Amino acid sequence: GENVEQHPSTLSVQEGDSAVIKCTYSDSASNYFPWYKQELGKRPQLIIDIRSNVGEKKDQRIAVTLNKTAKHFSLHITETQPEDSAVYFCAATTNTGNQFYFGTGTSLTVIP
Amino acid sequence: NAGVTQTPKFRILKIGQSMTLQCTQDMNHNYMYWYRQDPGMGLKLIYYSVGAGITDKGEVPNGYNVSRSTTEDFPLRLELAAPSQTSVYFCASSPRRRELGYEQYFGPGTRLTVT
């Protein structure tokens, strides 16, 4: 099955700086890559996703890039704010499979 | 739409007791999932269902059972609770169709403690 690895496991940045979280996957058939944000005590919530037919997608301060050849995708958060502090999970799935495969999470702390 | 709802929010069980975690979605999604999340850890898939009457094991199914008699409901049964089942349990649903997307919608979670 698919194996998703996520790095780093913890990340601290100063407010206003950028944060980058990287994930690699093993199954070349994976074609949908969501990113979830989970605040303390809350449910995971989708913040951005990308399909394999595009290389980059942006939504205001967040962006995701995908390199299918290298089988990795990254989350970029610019101009970080304290409310960006949370755990972020990447995931991968195929349109023919049934499961989502999650990374182990990155705990992001934005220091005011 | 209420989305995905879970009950109860919190529960304390004694070792050996049984209980059912309820999950309901009103989005007519075919796919439903149960995950557990241990403190500071990621999501581990327990069971999933691709439609009413069809269920399958995930990564950590031991000690759990599920059923899917309707599209809306996907209860998770714990038999003979053990301390290792102390965790937060999330139910999720997804349409997993090209025209509707592949996003997973999570319920608010059930925090279970087994002592």
Side-chain angles (χ1 to χ4, degrees):
Chain A
E2 172 70 281
N3 182 41
V4 177
E5 295 189 356
Q6 183 172 347
H7 299 281
S9 57
T10 59
L11 179 60
S12 291
V13 299
Q14 292 287 343
E15 182 177 358
D17 287 350
S18 296
V20 181
I21 303 170
K22 297 181 179 180
C23 287
T24 61
Y25 61 99
S26 60
D27 188 348
S28 57
S30 288
N31 61 354
Y32 174 67
F33 307 92
W35 284 91
Y36 290 87
K37 175 183 181 182
Q38 186 178 28
E39 295 176 351
L40 192 62
K42 301 285 182 65
R43 74 188 84 183
Q45 293 204 297
L46 181 76
I47 54 172
I48 196 167
D49 56 12
I50 192 167
R51 303 295 305 259
S52 60
N53 56 348
V54 299
E56 183 175 2
K57 184 177 177 181
K58 276 187 177 181
D59 183 2
Q60 299 183 332
R61 295 187 297 108
I62 59 173
V64 56
T65 58
L66 171 65
N67 183 327
K68 282 213 73 177
T69 304
K71 290 193 240 167
H72 67 72
F73 56 110
S74 300
L75 178 71
H76 305 253
I77 306 174
T78 59
E79 300 172 21
T80 53
Q81 300 167 3
E83 51 265 38
D84 294 329
S85 296
V87 178
Y88 292 81
F89 292 97
C90 64
T93 189
T94 69
N95 60 5
T96 54
N98 299 318
Q99 299 185 34
F100 290 81
Y101 297 88
F102 284 84
T104 48
T106 296
S107 177
L108 173 65
T109 301
V110 180
I111 304 163
Chain B
N1 285 353
V4 180
T5 57
Q6 292 182 237
T7 56
K9 285 190 168 59
F10 304 94
R11 183 72 186 268
I12 298 174
L13 278 182
K14 293 190 187 307
I15 294 171
Q17 287 185 322
S18 300
M19 77 165 293
T20 299
L21 282 66
Q22 301 292 346
C23 175
T24 299
Q25 53 95 6
D26 62 358
M27 297 174 282
N28 201 32
H29 290 168
N30 282 329
Y31 289 78
M32 295 188 75
Y33 305 84
W34 274 106
Y35 295 93
R36 60 175 288 174
Q37 185 177 36
D38 298 335
M41 303 294 283
L43 296 159
K44 292 188 177 179
L45 182 65
I46 305 171
Y47 271 96
Y48 67 96
S49 169
V50 303
I54 306 169
T55 62
D56 210 345
K57 295 178 181 178
E59 182 185 2
V60 289
N62 290 344
Y64 307 94
N65 274 302
V66 293
S67 60
R68 185 93 183 272
S69 56
T70 67
T71 299
E72 295 77 20
D73 300 306
F74 190 39
L76 177 72
R77 177 88 179 154
L78 277 72
E79 304 282 2
L80 298 175
S84 61
Q85 293 178 304
T86 294
S87 191
V88 178
Y89 291 83
F90 288 103
C91 178
S93 73
S94 174
R96 285 194 74 97
R97 289 166 59 182
R98 181 185 293 191
E99 63 272 26
L100 296 176
Y102 292 81
E103 179 180 350
Q104 273 194 317
Y105 297 80
F106 284 85
T110 294
R111 188 175 297 274
L112 176 68
T113 301
V114 182
T115 61

